[in-house]
Amino acid sequence: MADPVLSVVNLRKVFTIREGGRRRADLAAIDELTFDVERGGAFGVVGESGSGKTTLARIIVGLETPTVGQVLVCGGDRRQLGRRASERKAWARRAQMVFQDPYSSFDPRQRVADSIEEVLKLHFSLSPSEQSKRVAELLDQVGLDQRHGRALPRGLSGGERQRAAIARALAIKPDLLILDEAVASLDVSIQSQILNLLSDLRQETTVSYLFLSHDLAVIRQVTDNAIVMREGRIVEQGATDGILDRPQHPYTKLLLSCVPAPRWKPRRTRSEREAAAVERNT
């Protein structure tokens, strides 16, 4: 792959578990990860909770330090990221992250437009009128308007907050947008709207996506290539359709077998059946 936007090479992250101030054990949250994300592409990372997806994302954006390995974003080496604010701002312009819970990532006392404007002030030298114009453009880009911009985060629905979070992440025109379970907390209909929005933004901009999710339907809809992670390791990788239609690893097959089939209905427990029978007879 020529000039990928993201290269992860032999990445390993070990956490030390301590108890009573003493070292108890080492836990490898990520172990020997290697993959590339092409520019303009959409790459999926699939795995259940505890597979290492979020640790991977936090390393890429600079919130965690890898134990071993290399992370390159637009050719820049994550290991060379220092503590100076200028270096961290430069790295942030390469990679931005959208979290599962957009409400917790906003200041509840700050209007949405002001939150986006704060990002612009940090990274660009714009006049007040240019800032206001850029905020309006970003809100419009994600399907929001000035009314949403004037609202506090609690005044928006879950889907609207996630749109606002995406607008804020796009404010500094990142090369890579990392979405960590970004639609997991939304209703199915709202999920579809956000995923369609992301598809449209991908066509309108040059941003690349790294989409982390346990939801195979979401991964199929928005990504071209993917990896499947289990306990910090890659167990399968390739084209998304190929992985999901012709899985090779038993773990991938297990994940697919857990997806409810059409018209699937959950089985009632014995106590639920007994309660239903009582209700019918009363």
Side-chain angles (χ1 to χ4, degrees):
M1 183 186 299
D3 192 23
V5 68
L6 171 68
S7 288
V8 174
V9 183
N10 296 327
L11 191 65
R12 179 176 170 84
K13 175 61 179 179
V14 177
F15 291 100
T16 299
I17 302 173
R18 297 183 181 276
E19 187 175 289
R22 297 182 179 181
R23 181 173 178 167
R24 182 181 176 186
D26 288 337
L27 173 66
I30 290 178
D31 201 2
E32 298 182 3
L33 254 62
T34 297
F35 64 90
D36 290 328
V37 178
E38 64 180 358
R39 287 186 179 273
F43 194 94
V45 180
V46 183
E48 61 189 334
S49 297
S51 62
K53 304 190 303 297
T54 297
T55 300
L56 168 64
R58 289 176 60 85
I59 289 174
I60 295 171
V61 297
L63 297 176
E64 293 283 358
T65 301
T67 304
V68 178
Q70 190 176 34
V71 174
L72 301 174
V73 180
C74 303
D77 193 335
R78 169 65 180 77
R79 294 175 299 183
Q80 297 174 359
L81 179 61
R83 296 186 177 183
R84 289 187 297 179
S86 59
E87 294 176 342
R88 292 193 169 275
K89 285 197 291 185
W91 189 266
R93 285 193 289 271
R94 295 188 180 122
Q96 281 287 298
M97 190 166 172
V98 178
F99 298 90
Q100 177 178 348
D101 180 10
Y103 187 75
S104 63
S105 65
F106 281 100
D107 184 339
R109 300 162 297 180
Q110 189 176 41
R111 296 185 309 164
V112 168
D114 293 338
S115 179
I116 298 173
E117 194 170 284
E118 189 173 54
V119 175
L120 295 174
K121 288 178 181 178
L122 183 63
H123 290 275
F124 303 106
S125 297
L126 301 176
S127 67
S129 61
E130 288 173 329
Q131 289 177 4
S132 298
K133 181 180 178 181
R134 179 61 178 149
V135 170
E137 290 174 349
L138 287 163
L139 290 173
D140 180 68
Q141 197 170 31
V142 298
L144 301 178
D145 56 30
Q146 293 184 5
R147 175 178 58 85
H148 298 101
R150 291 191 297 268
L152 293 173
R154 66 172 178 268
L156 302 180
S157 68
E160 290 169 343
R161 281 196 293 265
Q162 197 61 287
R163 287 172 182 266
I166 293 170
R168 186 178 56 183
L170 292 174
I172 56 177
K173 300 179 179 179
D175 296 280
L176 178 67
L177 191 62
I178 303 167
L179 301 114
D180 186 9
E181 299 283 8
V183 298
S185 62
L186 304 176
D187 292 339
V188 174
S189 60
I190 306 301
Q191 281 189 16
S192 179
Q193 293 176 17
I194 298 299
L195 295 177
N196 289 335
L197 168 65
L198 292 170
S199 296
D200 292 341
L201 289 173
R202 184 181 169 194
Q203 296 177 3
E204 296 170 5
T205 67
T206 58
V207 68
S208 306
Y209 292 145
L210 182 66
F211 213 107
L212 293 76
S213 180
H214 68 280
D215 191 326
L216 300 180
V218 168
I219 292 296
R220 184 188 290 274
Q221 182 174 340
V222 297
T223 68
D224 307 314
N225 298 284
I227 59 173
V228 180
M229 289 182 61
R230 184 186 187 189
E231 297 179 350
R233 287 178 171 268
I234 296 175
V235 298
E236 193 159 355
Q237 65 184 107
T240 302
D241 287 344
I243 290 175
L244 300 184
D245 293 337
R246 297 175 297 279
Q248 301 299 311
H249 195 275
Y251 178 68
T252 310
K253 295 177 181 178
L254 176 63
L255 289 178
L256 287 165
S257 70
C258 294
V259 177
R263 299 183 180 181
W264 172 84
K265 292 183 179 180
R267 292 183 178 180
R268 291 180 174 181
T269 64
R270 179 178 178 180
S271 59
E272 289 174 332
R273 291 195 301 269
E274 291 174 349
V278 170
E279 184 177 344
R280 286 195 302 269
N281 295 328
T282 58

